[in-house]
Amino acid sequence: MDSHDEESPLVADSSPVQTPKQNHARDVHILSSAFLLIFLAYGAAQNLESTLNTEEDLGTTSLGILYLSFTFFSLVASVVVRRLGTKNALVLGTTGYWLFIAANLKPTWYTMVPASVYLGFSASIIWVGQGTYLTSTARSHAKDCNLHEGTVIGNFNGEFWGMFASNQFVGNLISLAMLSDGTEGSTSGTTLLFVVFLCSMTLGTILMCFLTKRNHNAEDGTQDSSVGVYSTVVSLSKSLVTLLFDARMLLTIPLIAYSGLQQAFVWAEFTKDIVTPALGVSGVGGAMAVYGAFDAICSLAAGRLTSGLTSITLIVSGGALIQAVVFLWLLLIYRLTSGVLGIMYPLLMAAMLGIGDGVFNTQLNALLGILFKHDTEGAFAQLKVWQSGSIAVVFFVSPYISLKAMLVVMLAALCLSYAGFLLLTLKKNYKHKCLVPFCSITEVVHRLVEVEVINNTLLL
């Protein structure tokens, strides 16, 4: 008998073949690095719009149009992402940022306005795609490695937003280095800067192509790609509308809107009214680099500390307090001074505002990923609708409102949004003890009827 026959088992091994686990962390690294390369260019260019393109307020108006377009297209972005798939949506979304930077090589109303409108569309799908892709990756990683889902979502969001926030540090250092020699107003200096930015964006787009395709719909048990366009549009439109009647989303929307307001305040008001008078136009890059550095550090730390709703509540409370201190400082105490303190104060405030932004970015994304795990496209579409809408409002009203009036608005928005967030956390914590919160009125009535029937039965 052949030796191979002697060694072969009489009964075939029926144990299931284990497939190698996918390296989900690799996709997070790629996604974070690609966004860093793309947004270090866009973020720095956005900070310079109000100082470089000053003719007829072209820069500020273009940004207002951009975020207005962003708001509108965010209403339908989830449909586009669902049809294209998250990876294809991410790659397509990069094209709008590339075109916007290219338009800045010859900034006119005929180049900037169309580029801003298209960027609004591109931004809507890239950000809905990002939120959906990152949450799906975190869930897959938690499932494959038997880890706590909320912790993995927090860690992945911390890594992404930490890398993303560092775009402000890297991008503004590049602009500071290339414009600090007095070329900030020259055509050659700005042209070279935007060419460097275009190269960075091209690398980011290429890197995005190496992401793994993910079937997010299959994970959630929702519609697959064979469903018709009309059915998908109807389904996701209902999803968007339904979320507006969800108490959890209604209590989260004010905080989402505030997160957009505080970002626009830094871009439009803080750089113009605080940094520029104290440090000059070339100092905007340095101040925003400090902002980005602390934003990145805080994002990484906050992501690591996130494990669930309780940790999110504590971290958001800290971020809200820090930003409230900055607004009160500017409103009641701050005066433009010379010397070392005149330089240090704007940099310190930039650091504190960066910490707050890092908190809101990581915690809002983690919160939506935890609360709306069965409808992430709709949830992240709502995030971008309200966030970009509030940013657009700031850019449009910025030329017509004073700094003190804006600070009062920011403080009021912060208090209102934080109150809504606290109510949300109280209701969610109470839900674990009682099943009534967040259920529909019909369900409450049914439960009351059941209790009444039981009582009557006991009496009989």
Side-chain angles (χ1 to χ4, degrees):
M1 183 180 290
D2 189 270
S3 60
H4 291 290
D5 293 334
E6 292 177 358
E7 295 175 0
S8 60
L10 296 176
V11 179
D13 185 8
S14 60
S15 60
V17 178
Q18 291 185 349
T19 57
K21 293 180 180 179
Q22 184 177 338
N23 187 4
H24 303 287
R26 165 191 171 275
D27 287 326
V28 180
H29 302 331
I30 292 175
L31 183 68
S32 303
S33 300
F35 267 73
L36 171 61
L37 290 170
I38 292 166
F39 282 89
L40 71 85
Y42 171 72
Q46 178 179 251
N47 293 334
L48 294 170
E49 284 297 320
S50 60
T51 55
L52 292 181
N53 300 326
T54 56
E55 186 177 352
E56 297 181 354
D57 291 323
L58 174 61
T60 305
T61 304
S62 296
L63 291 175
I65 293 172
L66 189 164
Y67 284 99
L68 190 63
S69 172
F70 191 177
T71 305
F72 172 76
F73 283 113
S74 292
L75 294 171
V76 296
S78 54
V79 178
V80 178
V81 172
R82 181 71 64 89
R83 296 302 300 176
L84 292 177
T86 50
K87 178 183 175 180
N88 293 335
L90 287 167
V91 174
L92 178 62
T94 63
T95 60
Y97 291 92
W98 199 97
L99 184 63
F100 183 80
I101 296 297
N104 275 275
L105 293 173
K106 192 172 180 60
T108 66
W109 290 101
Y110 300 104
T111 58
M112 294 298 295
V113 172
S116 297
V117 173
Y118 179 65
L119 179 52
F121 164 74
S122 300
S124 68
I125 62 172
I126 199 175
W127 281 112
V128 173
Q130 176 273 330
T132 304
Y133 189 92
L134 190 62
T135 304
S136 175
T137 304
R139 287 184 189 141
S140 298
H141 187 73
K143 182 179 179 181
D144 289 350
C145 300
N146 295 320
L147 299 173
H148 184 259
E149 185 177 287
T151 301
V152 176
I153 290 176
N155 289 341
F156 280 14
N157 271 285
E159 177 180 339
F160 174 83
W161 288 106
M163 287 281 287
F164 176 81
S166 62
N167 80 77
Q168 288 282 356
F169 178 73
V170 179
N172 285 294
L173 279 185
I174 293 174
S175 65
L176 176 63
M178 298 186 70
L179 300 179
S180 60
D181 58 354
T183 60
E184 61 200 29
S186 66
T187 304
S188 60
T190 56
T191 299
L192 179 59
L193 177 64
F194 286 120
V195 168
V196 171
F197 285 164
L198 284 176
C199 293
S200 176
M201 284 191 166
T202 302
L203 290 175
T205 302
I206 294 172
L207 191 58
M208 201 87 78
C209 296
F210 290 94
L211 289 171
T212 304
K213 282 191 175 182
R214 295 188 174 275
N215 187 4
H216 165 69
N217 299 334
E219 290 180 5
D220 282 353
T222 54
Q223 295 172 311
D224 59 29
S225 57
S226 63
V227 178
V229 176
Y230 175 76
S231 300
T232 305
V233 171
V234 171
S235 174
L236 291 175
S237 298
K238 287 182 179 178
S239 173
L240 283 173
V241 174
T242 301
L243 284 175
L244 292 176
F245 292 93
D246 190 316
R248 298 169 301 174
M249 180 57 73
L250 290 177
L251 292 173
T252 309
I253 284 174
L255 192 64
I256 292 173
Y258 171 75
S259 71
L261 287 176
Q262 59 91 21
Q263 288 179 354
F265 173 82
V266 173
W267 300 332
E269 296 292 334
F270 181 71
T271 55
K272 180 181 67 176
D273 295 327
I274 304 299
V275 177
T276 302
L279 307 178
V281 174
S282 61
V284 172
M288 295 306 292
V290 172
Y291 172 84
F294 278 85
D295 196 335
I297 293 170
C298 181
S299 296
L300 289 170
R304 291 294 177 185
L305 294 173
T306 302
S307 59
L309 192 60
T310 301
S311 60
I312 290 175
T313 304
L314 294 174
I315 296 170
V316 168
S317 299
L321 178 62
I322 290 173
Q323 289 204 339
V325 169
V326 175
F327 297 145
L328 289 172
W329 183 4
L330 289 172
L331 185 63
L332 303 176
I333 302 174
Y334 178 75
R335 297 292 182 271
L336 183 63
T337 58
S338 58
V340 177
L341 291 179
I343 297 174
M344 293 301 299
Y345 284 159
L347 297 179
L348 177 60
M349 285 185 279
M352 295 172 71
L353 290 170
I355 292 172
D357 186 60
V359 164
F360 292 120
N361 280 333
T362 55
Q363 302 310 298
L364 273 174
N365 280 267
L367 180 66
L368 293 179
I370 293 172
L371 294 182
F372 303 99
K373 60 177 63 179
H374 298 299
D375 189 13
T376 50
E377 290 102 337
F380 284 108
Q382 291 284 349
L383 171 67
K384 291 306 170 183
V385 165
W386 295 100
Q387 201 173 56
S388 58
S390 59
I391 292 173
V393 168
V394 172
F395 279 121
F396 278 123
V397 304
S398 176
Y400 310 104
I401 191 172
S402 67
L403 176 62
K404 286 192 174 182
M406 181 62 74
L407 288 169
V408 171
V409 171
M410 294 300 298
L411 281 169
L414 176 58
C415 293
L416 178 64
S417 60
Y418 183 65
F421 173 73
L422 283 183
L423 183 59
L424 169 67
T425 57
L426 290 174
K427 281 182 172 289
K428 280 296 292 180
N429 288 331
Y430 182 63
K431 184 182 179 182
H432 294 293
K433 302 176 183 179
C434 177
L435 297 177
V436 174
F438 296 126
C439 63
S440 65
I441 297 176
T442 306
E443 289 173 333
V444 175
V445 172
H446 281 312
R447 286 175 186 157
L448 291 174
V449 171
E450 289 173 1
V451 171
E452 186 66 23
V453 170
I454 293 172
N455 290 335
N456 291 337
T457 303
L458 292 174
L459 289 174
L460 291 174

